[in-house]
Amino acid sequence: MEPTFRPNWLQRNLKGDPILWAIVLIFSVISIAVVYSATGTLAYRNELRGRPGSAEMIVLKHSGLIFMGLALMWLAHRVDYRHYSRLSLYALLISVPLLLFTFFVGGTTLNDASRWLTIPVIHLTFQPSDLAKLALISHLASMLSRRQQHLHDFKSTLLPVMLWVGVICGLIILSNASTALLLFATCMLLMFIGRVPLKQMAVMVAIGVVLGGAGLAAGQRLGTVMSRVSSFSDPTKKTPFQLEHSYIAIATGGVAGKGPGKSTERNILPHPYSDFIFAIIIEEYGLLGGAVVLLLYLALLYRGLKTVMNSYGAFGGLLSAGLSFSLVLQALVNMGVAVGLGPITGLPLPLLSMGGTSLIFTGISIGIILAVSRGEPEIRPVVGSDPDAPRIPRQNPSYT
């Protein structure tokens, strides 16, 4: 009698797309190495101000957040992804008062923007916009999947979509214009994938421009946005300080880079461990290192879209597509800013930048993509049968 096959521990516990798991783990290792290298100046400033925070302590905290994000990613991928349809609505209902409270009442102000809440006891900063972004994409996927037969109905389809997208993006733009614009673009892309008619999308864009402009004018970032766009679009103006040193880091990195931990611009460039971490990667690891990072993000997008193609259910496909595009678009914008292809935004580089709860919500997002890639427990009709025929469960997709 032949022995039965017994899956090993990894096969039992790490389900879903194995290549996506590998990409995330590679990003985690790169992040720890680069953040450790880039936080020397931050540690020195902490020492001058009498605050605890050596480079080792900073990277230890960062590593802890990465492992917490990986743990939550594992938990999220174990959940039947269909539950996220209902959970997304509850998350949105929590996000709205959190965003209002952060902006009007108790937000921690950094860089002239009230985007953060400080969690008591652990003193960890939390951006409600991270929760709102994840919740909106998930709920939008749910709404579009449930209304596939009524996409031309303004009242039942476009109106609730407009309401949630307008409220969330409008609240976020009060203090974080770049995140709001990127989220709005992701929602438009998701609506396009969800087969929303172009005429209705045009109406959505027009309303978004009006409401977005009003929110920007009423918020905290209008002056900053105008200054950054003007500096980018007017070649006669002096290159902003941080962008100038980003160029220097990239130019001196060459093809192979200076080597790990040998960056010099990390001591001059503002926020080298978050907003401009891509410039430090190129300085230390060269254009080859930058190309590897770019290819990893493109591979992440490809695996996310492969999950979409292997998904029979509309909700699973839209959910995976929305979260994949959200992460990779943010990465492309961050990298584009570092090389001068766009105005300065202040967006972190997902999976690599040092951050607080952004690492955690990124982990949850990828966990949801993995939950979809595990194989949906939905049912589909037998091939060649009529719509009322018995149905059979869908088999788990195989990944190559």
Side-chain angles (χ1 to χ4, degrees):
M1 180 177 179
E2 295 184 2
T4 58
F5 174 75
R6 294 179 180 275
N8 58 29
W9 187 91
L10 289 177
Q11 290 174 314
R12 291 197 308 269
N13 292 278
L14 302 183
K15 299 184 181 297
D17 187 349
I19 297 179
L20 191 54
W21 276 105
I23 291 170
V24 174
L25 293 175
I26 293 171
F27 270 130
S28 300
V29 173
I30 295 173
S31 178
I32 292 173
V34 179
V35 167
Y36 180 61
S37 172
T39 50
T41 303
L42 177 62
Y44 179 68
R45 288 201 302 266
N46 288 340
E47 183 180 348
L48 289 179
R49 296 170 183 172
R51 299 176 181 174
S54 64
E56 289 75 15
M57 288 181 61
I58 293 172
V59 79
L60 187 62
K61 178 181 177 181
H62 176 66
S63 301
L65 288 170
I66 286 179
F67 285 116
M68 187 183 299
L70 290 173
L72 290 173
M73 182 176 75
W74 179 82
L75 289 173
H77 107 287
R78 300 286 295 184
V79 176
D80 182 344
Y81 77 87
R82 293 179 299 175
H83 292 307
Y84 293 114
S85 176
R86 181 174 63 255
L87 292 173
S88 63
L89 178 59
Y90 299 144
L92 277 179
L93 295 175
I94 294 172
S95 299
V96 172
L98 282 178
L99 289 169
L100 289 170
F101 180 82
T102 303
F103 183 76
F104 290 105
V105 183
T108 301
T109 301
L110 296 174
N111 299 323
D112 301 320
S114 301
R115 304 175 186 171
W116 295 267
L117 288 176
T118 302
I119 302 175
V121 182
I122 61 175
H123 303 292
L124 185 68
T125 56
F126 161 65
Q127 285 197 66
S129 59
D130 289 330
L131 173 62
K133 181 167 60 174
L134 175 60
L136 179 60
I137 292 172
S138 302
H139 191 59
L140 181 58
S142 176
M143 288 191 292
L144 292 175
S145 66
R146 286 185 281 108
R147 293 171 171 84
Q148 283 294 296
Q149 306 303 319
H150 308 283
L151 292 176
H152 292 272
D153 190 333
F154 177 87
K155 184 177 180 181
S156 66
T157 302
L158 187 61
L159 189 59
V161 169
M162 286 173 53
L163 177 64
W164 279 117
V165 174
V167 168
I168 297 300
C169 291
L171 289 175
I172 293 176
I173 205 172
L174 293 172
S175 59
N176 194 341
S178 53
T179 296
L181 292 174
L182 192 62
L183 178 58
F184 184 77
T186 303
C187 291
M188 292 299 101
L189 186 57
L190 193 56
M191 290 172 66
F192 178 76
I193 296 172
R195 302 186 304 166
V196 173
L198 292 178
K199 184 183 296 185
Q200 294 193 9
M201 290 183 61
V203 173
M204 186 80 174
V205 171
I207 295 174
V209 169
V210 174
L211 294 180
L216 193 60
Q220 302 169 328
R221 306 299 288 172
L222 178 60
T224 302
V225 170
M226 292 181 63
S227 173
R228 289 176 174 177
V229 172
S230 176
S231 297
F232 174 74
S233 59
D234 189 351
T236 62
K237 288 192 173 183
K238 179 177 172 55
T239 304
F241 177 82
Q242 59 266 56
L243 196 55
E244 180 179 358
H245 285 277
S246 177
Y247 292 161
I248 294 173
I250 293 170
T252 56
V255 176
K258 298 177 179 178
K262 295 182 180 179
S263 168
T264 54
E265 290 302 313
R266 63 184 177 181
N267 300 319
I268 306 171
L269 188 63
H271 307 293
Y273 42 81
S274 58
D275 299 354
F276 287 92
I277 195 170
F278 188 63
I280 303 301
I281 291 173
I282 296 180
E283 185 182 9
E284 294 191 347
Y285 299 93
L287 293 176
L288 293 176
V292 168
V293 169
L294 176 60
L295 289 175
L296 284 172
Y297 280 115
L298 294 179
L300 189 153
L301 178 61
Y302 171 73
R303 302 311 293 189
L305 295 182
K306 189 171 180 63
T307 297
V308 175
M309 292 185 288
N310 286 330
S311 172
Y312 282 98
F315 174 60
L318 290 170
L319 183 61
S320 179
L323 294 176
S324 299
F325 276 116
S326 175
L327 291 172
V328 177
L329 282 177
Q330 181 174 330
L332 293 177
V333 169
N334 178 282
M335 292 186 287
V337 168
V339 300
L341 295 179
I344 298 170
T345 61
L347 290 171
L349 189 57
L351 295 167
L352 288 179
S353 291
M354 186 180 81
T357 50
S358 62
L359 287 169
I360 293 173
F361 282 103
T362 299
I364 294 173
S365 298
I366 297 176
I368 295 174
I369 298 172
L370 286 166
V372 179
S373 76
R374 287 175 57 191
E376 302 165 328
E378 295 182 4
I379 53 178
R380 61 181 174 87
V382 178
V383 177
S385 65
D386 63 85
D388 298 324
R391 295 171 174 256
I392 60 174
R394 178 189 180 275
Q395 300 299 317
N396 289 348
S398 60
Y399 288 90
T400 57

